[in-house]
Amino acid sequence: MIEIKLPVPEEDIRRLKVGDEVVISGVMITARDAAHKYMVEQEAAEVKDVLKDGMLYHCGPVVKQDDQGWHFVAAGPTTSKREEPYEADVIARYGVRGVIGKGGMGERTLAACREHGAVYLHAIGGLAVILAASVKQVQTVHKLEEFGVPEAMWVIEVERFPAVVTMDSHGNSLHTEVLEKSTEKARAISKTL
Amino acid sequence: MDPQTLRKHLLELVRMTACDLAPDVEQALARARDREEGRARSTLEWMIKNSAEARESSRPVCQDTGSLIFYVDHGREIRPGLVAQAAREAAAEATERSYLRPNAVDPITGKNSKNNVGRGSPYFHFNEVEDDNALRVRLMLKGGGSENCGAQYTLPDNTIEASRDLTGVKRCILDAALRAQGFGCAPGVLGVGIGGDRMTSFMESKEQFFRKLDDQNLDPLLAELEDEMHKKVCELGIGPMGFGGRTTVLGVKVGIRHRLPACYFVSVSYTCWAYRRRSLEIVNGEARYA
């Protein structure tokens, strides 16, 4: 198990390879569809600091509010490929070192990971309770009114958040590998049906 | 049953569905874990652990608490409108209690209704039954990620060499599983609807998810088809979350509807491993959950 503390320098990210299991600690931010559109179409000044050498998490949480503030109740990853049109630009423009989500991303993001020194980390989909428990504190939230709870940008402090590197900064992707193997297998099975 | 009591029972149904996976699903996950090794095994182990913690703390198994799909069987003495109203109120209260994420979004304005109540949300399907006072409510919470993995084929489909026969149907199922990869949070379940029109074909595929994972299709031909396709889809090696492994799906369930001569649809719905469906039955004024 490799420990990553945020913010993380590029050389540490370059050392990661597909298949590495990591635990992440530090401050990160959630971002999904509306947030990505916003970050690319406008200057999202309020999130620049947390994104620089930081990580963003494709997640629309279930939250709860009490007199202590906001809490994450359930917070597994959402499907990442919806952000494919935006992610490469977000990585380049904001200096993001890690994108956490599920299902993997496409060629443009993989190329951006290689060029700028970033990785894609896969969290287990549906692991909502365990991942929410790793969120120790909700520091602040941006665009809550405008985007709604799932789409808002939640700045969270996490401790030992588990994930697997499935796209590294050397052009490797576990998703491409599984897709190619299963496609070949499907071709063979299809003939026997 | 008075509306207040019904609302209370429906709230419990929503909580249970969101936070407590049914035993047959957890057993299927455990059996899959025992067959796997390496990352596939540890991934399933995480899922099982998460489900146990969700149940103990009454927190949603997955943060995408999905769309609320209610199937209501009711006797003549029970007015569907009242059940629907009680269910809408239960959904709003469940959202307030964080059993549900606010999941109803206006497609034009992008505004979230904040309480899961909106146009067509929750969804209701009513069916009148013989017994005057009978009430059975089945609820499915169907997540969005897996919903995006659904597909409808129109046969013949040259791109996958599927003609209007059983082999063609099998090729549709295989193709849908291949395209889904791990995106729908594998290992999930494939619901397949053969025939019908565009709408009823998809309905048939979704209704399969109310079945128990370990049941046997009453139609022997379909039972055989389910077993064969379950095995073959697993052979794709996509595995839990698409990390690779033996368990690509937990099951394949198939239903059929008579079709129009001109139409031949095969609809495939995907539900994730966090496969949430529960039921509530009112018997002699007493609530029974399953």
Side-chain angles (χ1 to χ4, degrees):
Chain A
M1 197 73 82
I2 300 165
E3 302 220 13
I4 294 177
K5 291 222 157 41
L6 301 177
V8 59
E10 181 175 351
E11 59 263 36
D12 288 7
I13 289 297
R14 292 279 182 196
R15 249 177 257 134
L16 296 173
K17 283 189 217 61
V18 160
D20 284 345
E21 294 185 42
V22 304
V23 286
I24 304 154
S25 302
V27 179
M28 61 167 79
I29 187 166
T30 68
R32 40 186 290 167
D33 313 61
H36 277 78
K37 190 165 183 288
Y38 167 64
M39 287 187 288
V40 168
E41 289 177 0
Q42 293 175 56
E43 281 297 315
E46 68 274 50
V47 299
K48 272 191 173 156
D49 286 347
V50 64
L51 286 179
K52 176 76 191 141
D53 291 328
M55 291 190 179
L56 62 82
Y57 179 26
H58 297 155
C59 170
V62 175
V63 296
K64 202 171 203 165
Q65 191 179 27
D66 60 21
D67 15 315
Q68 315 283 312
W70 291 99
H71 305 280
F72 270 34
V73 174
T78 190
T79 304
S80 298
K81 65 179 173 183
R82 291 195 307 271
E83 318 314 341
E84 182 63 15
Y86 308 108
E87 207 68 86
D89 294 339
V90 170
I91 290 170
R93 197 198 291 188
Y94 295 90
V96 175
R97 295 280 169 229
V99 174
I100 307 165
K102 77 174 173 87
M105 302 192 71
E107 287 299 321
R108 270 195 78 212
T109 302
L110 190 61
C113 285
R114 176 141 67 172
E115 189 182 343
H116 303 286
V119 289
Y120 176 84
L121 301 124
H122 203 300
I124 294 175
L127 210 66
V129 177
I130 285 173
L131 294 175
S134 77
V135 176
K136 294 302 157 193
Q137 202 201 347
V138 176
Q139 293 196 338
T140 185
V141 55
H142 303 294
K143 297 275 173 191
L144 179 58
E145 248 335 282
E146 197 178 332
F147 294 168
V149 165
E151 299 277 342
M153 303 166 87
W154 299 88
V155 180
I156 53 177
E157 190 188 338
V158 301
E159 201 178 286
R160 298 187 66 79
F161 180 106
V164 180
V165 177
T166 55
M167 292 163 64
D168 63 24
S169 63
H170 310 287
N172 305 305
S173 164
L174 178 65
H175 308 285
T176 313
E177 198 184 300
V178 171
L179 178 65
E180 282 171 0
K181 275 193 195 156
S182 56
T183 304
E184 206 174 297
K185 188 81 196 170
R187 231 173 261 138
I189 294 172
S190 185
K191 287 188 190 129
T192 69
L193 294 173
Chain B
M1 179 160 285
D2 68 280
Q4 283 297 71
T5 312
L6 181 58
R7 194 182 77 160
K8 195 187 80 190
H9 290 318
L10 288 168
L11 176 63
E12 172 57 11
L13 176 65
V14 174
R15 185 202 66 79
M16 212 172 156
T17 312
C19 308
D20 186 0
L21 286 189
D24 63 316
V25 177
E26 278 195 84
Q27 283 155 14
L29 288 168
R31 280 196 300 273
R33 172 201 56 200
D34 296 342
R35 280 194 302 268
E36 293 281 10
E37 51 203 20
R39 198 163 43 235
R41 189 187 175 94
S42 59
T43 300
L44 286 158
E45 191 65 58
W46 278 114
M47 291 169 179
I48 293 164
K49 194 167 169 241
N50 184 75
S51 309
E53 286 190 20
R55 174 169 41 246
E56 280 154 28
S57 58
S58 274
R59 289 172 175 218
V61 173
C62 176
Q63 79 291 337
D64 182 359
T65 52
S67 48
L68 292 103
I69 302 172
F70 285 99
Y71 270 62
V72 182
D73 300 311
H74 63 95
R76 263 165 303 186
E77 294 296 316
I78 293 176
R79 285 174 51 202
L82 289 182
V83 179
Q85 187 50 33
R88 278 191 283 268
E89 287 170 15
E93 192 174 343
T95 314
E96 209 171 292
R97 293 188 183 205
S98 305
Y99 302 145
L100 298 178
R101 184 175 73 180
N103 256 7
V105 181
D106 184 305
I108 303 300
T109 64
K111 271 272 173 211
N112 193 314
S113 78
K114 296 186 177 175
N115 64 358
N116 276 298
V117 181
R119 284 195 200 200
S121 172
Y123 172 77
F124 296 98
H125 182 93
F126 292 100
N127 179 41
E128 191 176 296
V129 295
E130 280 295 314
D131 180 4
D132 281 354
N133 287 300
L135 180 61
R136 182 174 71 137
V137 183
R138 290 177 294 168
L139 170 62
M140 183 192 308
L141 294 176
K142 178 70 179 64
S146 64
E147 190 63 8
N148 284 333
C149 293
Q152 189 167 61
Y153 298 84
T154 308
L155 301 188
D157 185 336
N158 271 338
T159 62
I160 54 166
E161 294 176 51
S163 20
R164 293 181 157 202
D165 52 31
L166 198 55
T167 299
V169 170
K170 290 177 187 174
R171 288 188 173 147
C172 295
I173 299 171
L174 192 71
D175 186 66
L178 177 68
R179 283 169 193 273
Q181 291 286 301
F183 301 133
C185 286
V189 177
L190 297 177
V192 182
I194 308 171
D197 59 26
R198 282 199 184 275
M199 181 181 81
T200 59
S201 181
F202 256 134
M203 277 177 81
E204 186 65 41
S205 72
K206 277 267 175 64
E207 287 170 4
Q208 298 306 310
F209 297 144
F210 283 121
R211 289 172 54 191
K212 283 267 174 356
L213 264 175
D214 46 10
D215 74 352
Q216 172 103 4
N217 199 311
L218 295 175
D219 181 331
L221 193 73
L222 296 183
E224 202 181 307
L225 176 64
E226 290 176 355
D227 285 347
E228 181 189 351
M229 291 319 293
H230 182 188
K231 212 157 35 179
K232 297 223 156 125
V233 166
C234 282
E235 281 172 21
L236 292 175
I238 292 163
M241 289 320 294
F243 293 162
R246 295 190 184 97
T247 319
T248 299
V249 289
L250 297 174
V252 176
K253 301 285 179 190
V254 183
I256 61 172
R257 294 200 183 196
H258 281 81
R259 61 177 179 84
L260 290 156
C263 303
Y264 199 131
F265 298 114
V266 178
S267 303
V268 183
S269 289
Y270 193 106
T271 191
C272 54
W273 69 263
Y275 173 12
R276 289 152 288 173
R277 43 108 168 94
R278 288 282 189 176
S279 70
L280 159 71
E281 195 165 4
I282 306 291
V283 183
N284 300 325
E286 198 188 298
R288 290 184 192 165
Y289 302 95

